[in-house]
Every structure is written in structure tokens, then in C-alpha cells.
Amino acid sequence: MSESRDIEQVVIIGSGPAGWTAAIYAARADLSPLCLIGVPRTNPAPVLPGGQLMLTTEVENYPGFPEGISGPDMMQAFQKQAERFDARVRGVDVASCDFSSRPFRLTTSEGDVVQSNSVIIATGATANWIGLENELRLATSGGGVSACAVCDGALPIFREQPLAVVGGGDSAMEEASYLAKFASKVYVIHRRDSLRASRTMQDRVLSNEKIEVVWNSTVVDVLGEARIEAVTLEDTVTGAQSRLDVQGLFIAIGHTPATEFLEGSGVALDASGYVAVDGGSTRTNIEGVYAAGDVADAVYRQAITAAGMGCKAALDAERWLAEQ
Ligand code: NAP
């Protein structure tokens, strides 16, 4: 295993809006950040450098882009802006971290060790998918399958159309209520006969005339070539299959924060596996280690909130380094 003798001031792990914004701020503060942006993966679901936005066709809610911008174009622009200020970029994953003493030591997927005085974790969270071949095909080709209604639901293709949301938690309720503003009808497809969501969120959905809950059902196939036309449902009690015509499918069955590489590192996670940060800051339980974006935020999960947190993390790291 090779070990660089250089000690970085700040290493940023992850390359979504949080990571790139942290890189822009750290680079402009002359910290010459090293960005470890990950390597593309397709199994079991697509994960790309650039994160969730790489799977988003059109971003219409990021301020400053009145005509909208594609997710990949936006991430390319973020990277270009960070590189303009001399952020350095390596296409590797981090396999493990040792935060027991400083400088911190990060082992990359190429087997070398990167040493750094501070680290910003911005690895995001990946949406969980059901795992059906046609679901993933239509999700990655802009075919009307999405894991984020707030990102994609207001697009013209979904307006005044019948849509479906899969899941029974708060996210599914939130997405269904949001979609009901534009859709002609919203089906919430849930695998049991009672919802997991909080009472308030449930009430909002159950009292909305445009929303119908399809109980005890799972989606076992997604139909349509270039665009979704329908889903095949299976009744979890009787096993009977049926067809439900929809023009959009929103999967809201939870997210998985990308934190496997932190196992054994000493960084504290919350009960759902997200990196625990102190109050409104980006400080983790380890001095000099910060977290930003979806990896530390189970609630908002927006490009703009992740970017804001990335900015905070860079400022937190910069101030802490100055105090040392
Ligand atoms: P969640 O609470 O874990 O709910 C996931 C839902 O998806 C559950 O209903 C689950 O069914 C279902 N599910 C899981 N795997 C499935 C599969 N393979 N096929 C079909 N259904 C599946 O996730 P979440 O709704 O994303 O919420 C995550 C956290 O964020 C929660 O703590 C939530 O309270 C919070 N949150 C809060 C707000 C808010 O307050 N505004 C908004 C969004 C999220 P079962 O119920 O049968 O397990």
C-alpha cells in the first residue's frame, strides 16, 4: 500500500452539490482541497460521481436557472467552477477511514493512503429502488420513473396525468400530496394495510380527494417502452395480479446514506445511519471531520440545501484549521 507523504489541508469525499460547493469555498480560501469524487457503479442501482442529480433529467427548482438545467449539466458546471479555483480531483472511492489521530488517513479504492488535517464527508444518500429491470431502465432514461417527486413531479409530462407513488412512509405521503397539485389522480401503492407515516401526514393524504391508497400491493413490473404506461400490481394477500395505468411512477421507499466506508472510523451515525452532526452545524463527533448534504440530512435532501451545507462545512473546516 503506497502512502503519500503530503498532508492535505482538506479532503472532500463526494461530488454532488454538497461536495462541489465545499470544494469551491475551500479552494477560494486557498486550502487547495483534494476532491475524491468516486467511481461509477451500476449495480444494484446506478451510482455516479455527481450523485443523485446525475439521474435527474431537468432541475427546475435551483435558483439562478430560470429555464431549468439538466442534473448532469449542473454537476459539470459545479465541478468546472471548483477546478477554476484549483480544487484537485481524483476519481477514486474511499474504502476506509482512520480518524483516531491526526493527520487523518483515508485508504482509497486504489489502495493508497491519503493523509489530511480535515475531512468533509459529502457522499450523499442513494434512493432505494424496488429493483425491477424496467423500473431502473425507465428511471435512467427519463421514462417517467423517478425517486424524487419534488425534483421531477412538476415537469409538464406529469401534469393532469394519473401518477403512482410507492411507499407508506412520510416521504411517500409528502410526494403524493405534492403530486396531487398537478396530477389528475395519485395512487399510493403500499405493501401493507396500514401506513408507516406520521398521523398528520397520513391525514393529509387520506383526506385528499385526488389520492387513492392501493393497500396490500407491490409493483412487480413497469410497462412501457420509451415511457411508462402502466404498472403490474401484485396483491400481497391473495397473490392476484392487476394492471394500473399511470404516466409516472415515484418510488419513495427510503434512502440509504453512503456511509459504509465509515465503518470502524469512529464517526457517529444517527439511528437511521446518517452521519450525526451537531445542531445546525456540520461538525461530527470528531474534531476536524465535517459532514454535508444528504449523507447528514434525511429530511430536506435538495440540491440547494446540500449546496448550502457544503458551504457551511468548508467554512467550519477553514475556521477550525485556522485555530489549530
Ligand atoms: P421510511 O419511513 O423508511 O418508509 C419507507 C416506506 O417504504 C415504508 O412504508 C416501507 O414499507 C416501504 N418500503 C420499503 N421497502 C419497500 C419495498 N421494497 N417495496 C415496497 N415498499 C417498501 O422512509 P421515508 O418515508 O423516506 O422516511 C425516512 C425518514 O425521513 C423518516 O424518519 C421520516 O419520518 C423522515 N421524513 C420526514 C418528513 C417530514 O416530516 N416532512 C418527510 C420525509 C421524510 P413498510 O411500512 O411496510 O416497512
Coordinates of all heavy atoms in Angstrom, one line a residue, residues 128-131 166-175 189-198 201 204 217-219 251-255 272 274 298-301, ligand 1:
N128 N -33.6 4.3 -2.5 CA -33.8 2.8 -2.7 C -34.8 2.6 -3.8 O -35.8 3.4 -4.0 CB -34.4 2.3 -1.4 CG -33.5 2.4 -0.2 OD1 -32.3 2.5 -0.4 ND2 -34.0 2.3 1.0
W129 N -34.5 1.6 -4.6 CA -35.4 1.2 -5.7 C -36.0 -0.1 -5.4 O -35.4 -0.9 -4.6 CB -34.6 1.2 -7.0 CG -34.0 2.5 -7.4 CD1 -32.7 3.0 -7.1 CD2 -34.6 3.6 -8.2 NE1 -32.5 4.2 -7.6 CE2 -33.7 4.6 -8.3 CE3 -35.9 3.7 -8.8 CZ2 -34.0 5.8 -8.9 CZ3 -36.1 4.9 -9.4 CH2 -35.2 5.9 -9.5
I130 N -37.1 -0.4 -6.1 CA -37.7 -1.8 -5.9 C -36.7 -2.8 -6.4 O -36.5 -3.9 -5.9 CB -39.0 -1.9 -6.7 CG1 -40.0 -0.8 -6.1 CG2 -39.6 -3.3 -6.5 CD1 -41.2 -0.6 -7.0
G131 N -36.0 -2.5 -7.6 CA -35.0 -3.4 -8.1 C -35.5 -4.1 -9.4 O -34.9 -5.1 -9.8
V166 N -45.0 4.8 -4.7 CA -44.8 3.6 -4.0 C -44.2 3.9 -2.6 O -43.2 4.6 -2.5 CB -43.9 2.6 -4.7 CG1 -43.7 1.3 -3.9 CG2 -44.4 2.3 -6.1
G167 N -44.8 3.4 -1.5 CA -44.3 3.6 -0.2 C -45.4 4.0 0.8 O -46.4 4.5 0.4
G168 N -45.1 3.8 2.1 CA -46.1 4.1 3.1 C -45.6 5.0 4.2 O -46.2 5.2 5.2
G169 N -44.4 5.6 4.0 CA -43.7 6.4 5.0 C -44.0 7.9 4.7 O -44.8 8.3 3.9
D170 N -43.4 8.8 5.5 CA -43.6 10.2 5.4 C -43.2 10.7 4.0 O -43.9 11.6 3.5 CB -42.7 11.0 6.5 CG -43.4 10.9 7.8 OD1 -44.6 10.8 7.9 OD2 -42.6 11.0 8.8
S171 N -42.1 10.2 3.4 CA -41.7 10.6 2.1 C -42.8 10.4 1.1 O -43.1 11.2 0.3 CB -40.4 9.9 1.6 OG -39.4 10.3 2.4
A172 N -43.4 9.2 1.1 CA -44.5 8.8 0.2 C -45.6 9.7 0.3 O -46.2 10.2 -0.6 CB -44.9 7.3 0.4
M173 N -46.0 10.1 1.6 CA -47.1 10.9 1.8 C -46.9 12.3 1.3 O -47.7 13.0 0.7 CB -47.4 11.1 3.4 CG -47.8 9.7 4.0 SD -49.1 8.8 3.3 CE -48.2 7.4 2.5
E174 N -45.6 12.8 1.6 CA -45.2 14.1 1.1 C -45.3 14.2 -0.4 O -45.8 15.1 -1.0 CB -43.8 14.4 1.6 CG -43.4 15.9 1.6 CD -42.2 16.1 2.5 OE1 -41.1 15.6 2.2 OE2 -42.4 16.7 3.5
E175 N -44.7 13.1 -1.0 CA -44.7 13.1 -2.5 C -46.1 13.1 -3.1 O -46.4 13.7 -4.1 CB -43.8 11.9 -3.0 CG -42.4 11.9 -2.4 CD -41.3 11.7 -3.4 OE1 -41.6 10.9 -4.3 OE2 -40.2 12.2 -3.2
I189 N -49.2 3.3 -3.6 CA -49.2 1.9 -3.6 C -48.4 1.4 -2.4 O -47.2 1.7 -2.2 CB -48.6 1.3 -4.9 CG1 -49.4 1.8 -6.1 CG2 -48.5 -0.2 -4.8 CD1 -48.7 1.6 -7.4
H190 N -49.1 0.7 -1.4 CA -48.4 0.3 -0.2 C -48.5 -1.2 0.0 O -49.6 -1.7 -0.2 CB -49.0 1.1 1.0 CG -48.3 0.9 2.3 ND1 -46.9 0.7 2.4 CD2 -48.7 0.7 3.5 CE1 -46.5 0.5 3.6 NE2 -47.7 0.5 4.3
R191 N -47.5 -1.8 0.5 CA -47.4 -3.2 0.6 C -48.2 -3.8 1.8 O -48.4 -5.0 1.9 CB -46.0 -3.7 0.7 CG -45.2 -3.2 1.9 CD -43.7 -3.7 1.7 NE -42.9 -3.2 2.8 CZ -41.6 -3.4 2.9 NH1 -41.0 -4.1 2.0 NH2 -40.9 -2.9 3.9
R192 N -48.7 -2.9 2.7 CA -49.4 -3.4 3.9 C -50.8 -2.8 4.0 O -51.2 -2.0 3.1 CB -48.6 -3.1 5.2 CG -47.3 -3.8 5.3 CD -46.7 -3.6 6.7 NE -46.2 -2.2 6.8 CZ -46.6 -1.4 7.8 NH1 -47.4 -1.9 8.8 NH2 -46.1 -0.2 8.0
D193 N -51.5 -3.0 5.1 CA -52.9 -2.4 5.2 C -52.9 -1.2 6.2 O -53.9 -0.8 6.6 CB -53.9 -3.5 5.6 CG -53.6 -4.1 7.0 OD1 -52.6 -3.7 7.6 OD2 -54.4 -4.9 7.4
S194 N -51.7 -0.8 6.6 CA -51.6 0.4 7.4 C -50.3 1.2 7.0 O -49.3 0.5 6.6 CB -51.6 0.1 8.9 OG -50.5 -0.6 9.2
L195 N -50.4 2.5 7.2 CA -49.2 3.3 6.7 C -48.2 3.5 7.9 O -48.6 3.4 9.1 CB -49.7 4.7 6.3 CG -50.7 4.7 5.1 CD1 -51.4 6.0 5.0 CD2 -49.9 4.4 3.8
R196 N -47.0 3.7 7.5 CA -45.9 3.9 8.5 C -45.8 5.4 8.8 O -45.3 5.8 9.9 CB -44.6 3.5 7.9 CG -43.4 3.7 8.7 CD -42.1 3.2 8.0 NE -42.1 1.8 7.8 CZ -41.8 1.0 8.8 NH1 -41.3 1.4 10.0 NH2 -41.8 -0.3 8.6
A197 N -46.3 6.3 7.9 CA -46.2 7.7 8.1 C -46.8 8.3 9.4 O -47.7 7.6 9.9 CB -46.8 8.4 6.9
S198 N -46.4 9.5 9.8 CA -46.9 10.1 10.9 C -48.4 10.4 10.7 O -48.9 10.5 9.6 CB -46.2 11.4 11.2 OG -46.3 12.3 10.1
M201 N -49.3 13.4 8.4 CA -49.0 13.2 7.0 C -50.1 12.3 6.4 O -50.5 12.4 5.3 CB -47.6 12.7 6.8 CG -46.5 13.5 7.5 SD -46.1 14.9 6.5 CE -44.8 14.2 5.4
R204 N -53.4 14.0 5.9 CA -53.4 14.9 4.7 C -53.6 14.1 3.4 O -54.3 14.6 2.5 CB -52.0 15.6 4.6 CG -51.9 16.8 3.8 CD -50.6 17.5 3.9 NE -50.3 17.9 5.3 CZ -49.1 18.2 5.7 NH1 -48.0 18.0 4.9 NH2 -48.8 18.5 7.0
S217 N -50.4 -4.0 -1.7 CA -50.0 -4.2 -3.1 C -48.5 -3.8 -3.3 O -48.0 -2.9 -2.7 CB -50.8 -3.3 -4.0 OG -52.1 -3.7 -3.9
T218 N -47.9 -4.6 -4.2 CA -46.5 -4.2 -4.6 C -46.5 -4.1 -6.1 O -47.3 -4.7 -6.8 CB -45.5 -5.3 -4.2 OG1 -45.9 -6.6 -4.6 CG2 -45.3 -5.4 -2.7
V219 N -45.5 -3.3 -6.6 CA -45.3 -3.2 -8.0 C -44.4 -4.3 -8.4 O -43.2 -4.4 -7.9 CB -44.7 -1.9 -8.4 CG1 -44.3 -1.8 -9.9 CG2 -45.7 -0.7 -8.0
I251 N -40.9 6.4 -6.7 CA -40.5 5.4 -5.7 C -40.1 6.2 -4.5 O -39.2 7.0 -4.5 CB -39.4 4.5 -6.2 CG1 -39.6 4.0 -7.7 CG2 -39.1 3.4 -5.3 CD1 -40.8 3.1 -7.8
A252 N -40.8 5.9 -3.3 CA -40.5 6.6 -2.1 C -40.4 5.6 -1.0 O -41.1 5.6 0.0 CB -41.6 7.6 -1.8
I253 N -39.4 4.7 -1.1 CA -39.3 3.6 -0.2 C -38.0 3.7 0.7 O -37.4 2.8 1.1 CB -39.4 2.2 -0.9 CG1 -38.3 2.0 -1.9 CG2 -40.7 2.0 -1.5 CD1 -38.2 0.6 -2.5
G254 N -37.6 5.0 0.9 CA -36.5 5.2 1.7 C -35.2 5.5 1.0 O -35.1 5.3 -0.2
H255 N -34.2 6.0 1.7 CA -32.9 6.2 1.1 C -31.8 5.5 2.0 O -32.1 5.2 3.1 CB -32.6 7.7 1.2 CG -33.3 8.5 0.1 ND1 -34.7 8.8 0.2 CD2 -32.9 9.1 -1.0 CE1 -35.0 9.4 -0.9 NE2 -34.0 9.7 -1.6
S272 N -30.8 6.1 12.0 CA -31.1 5.7 10.6 C -29.9 5.5 9.7 O -30.0 5.3 8.5 CB -32.0 6.7 9.9 OG -33.1 7.1 10.7
Y274 N -27.5 7.9 9.2 CA -27.0 9.2 8.6 C -25.9 9.7 9.5 O -25.9 9.4 10.8 CB -28.1 10.2 8.5 CG -29.1 9.9 7.4 CD1 -30.1 9.0 7.6 CD2 -29.0 10.5 6.1 CE1 -31.0 8.6 6.6 CE2 -29.9 10.2 5.1 CZ -30.8 9.3 5.3 OH -31.7 8.9 4.3
A298 N -31.6 13.6 6.5 CA -32.6 12.6 6.0 C -33.9 13.4 5.6 O -34.8 12.8 5.1 CB -33.0 11.6 7.1
V299 N -34.0 14.7 5.9 CA -35.3 15.4 5.8 C -35.4 16.2 4.5 O -36.3 16.0 3.7 CB -35.5 16.3 7.0 CG1 -36.8 17.0 6.8 CG2 -35.6 15.4 8.2
Y300 N -34.5 17.1 4.2 CA -34.7 18.0 3.1 C -34.2 17.5 1.7 O -34.9 17.6 0.7 CB -34.0 19.4 3.4 CG -34.6 20.0 4.6 CD1 -34.0 20.0 5.8 CD2 -35.9 20.6 4.5 CE1 -34.5 20.6 6.9 CE2 -36.5 21.1 5.7 CZ -35.8 21.1 6.9 OH -36.4 21.7 8.0
R301 N -33.0 16.9 1.7 CA -32.5 16.2 0.5 C -32.6 17.0 -0.8 O -33.0 16.4 -1.8 CB -33.2 14.9 0.4 CG -32.9 13.9 1.5 CD -33.3 12.5 1.2 NE -34.7 12.3 1.2 CZ -35.4 11.6 2.0 NH1 -34.8 10.9 3.0 NH2 -36.7 11.4 1.9
Ligands
NAP1 P1 -39.4 5.1 5.7 O1 -40.0 5.8 6.8 O2 -38.4 4.1 5.9 O3 -40.6 4.5 4.8 C1 -40.3 3.7 3.7 C2 -41.6 3.1 3.3 O4 -41.4 2.3 2.1 C3 -42.3 2.2 4.3 O5 -43.7 2.4 4.2 C4 -42.0 0.8 3.7 O6 -43.0 -0.2 4.0 C5 -41.9 1.0 2.3 N1 -40.9 0.1 1.6 C6 -39.6 -0.2 2.0 N2 -39.1 -1.1 1.1 C7 -40.1 -1.4 0.2 C8 -40.1 -2.2 -0.9 N3 -39.0 -2.9 -1.3 N4 -41.2 -2.3 -1.6 C9 -42.3 -1.6 -1.3 N5 -42.4 -0.8 -0.2 C10 -41.2 -0.7 0.5 O7 -38.7 6.2 4.7 P2 -39.1 7.7 4.3 O8 -40.6 7.8 4.1 O9 -38.2 8.1 3.2 O10 -38.7 8.5 5.6 C11 -37.3 8.5 6.1 C12 -37.2 9.3 7.4 O11 -37.4 10.7 7.0 C13 -38.3 9.0 8.4 O12 -37.8 9.2 9.6 C14 -39.3 10.1 8.1 O13 -40.1 10.4 9.2 C15 -38.5 11.3 7.7 N6 -39.2 12.2 6.8 C16 -39.9 13.2 7.4 C17 -40.6 14.1 6.6 C18 -41.4 15.2 7.2 O14 -41.6 15.2 8.4 N7 -41.8 16.2 6.5 C19 -40.7 13.9 5.2 C20 -40.0 12.9 4.6 C21 -39.2 12.0 5.5 P3 -43.3 -0.7 5.4 O15 -44.1 0.4 6.1 O16 -44.1 -1.9 5.2 O17 -42.0 -1.0 6.1

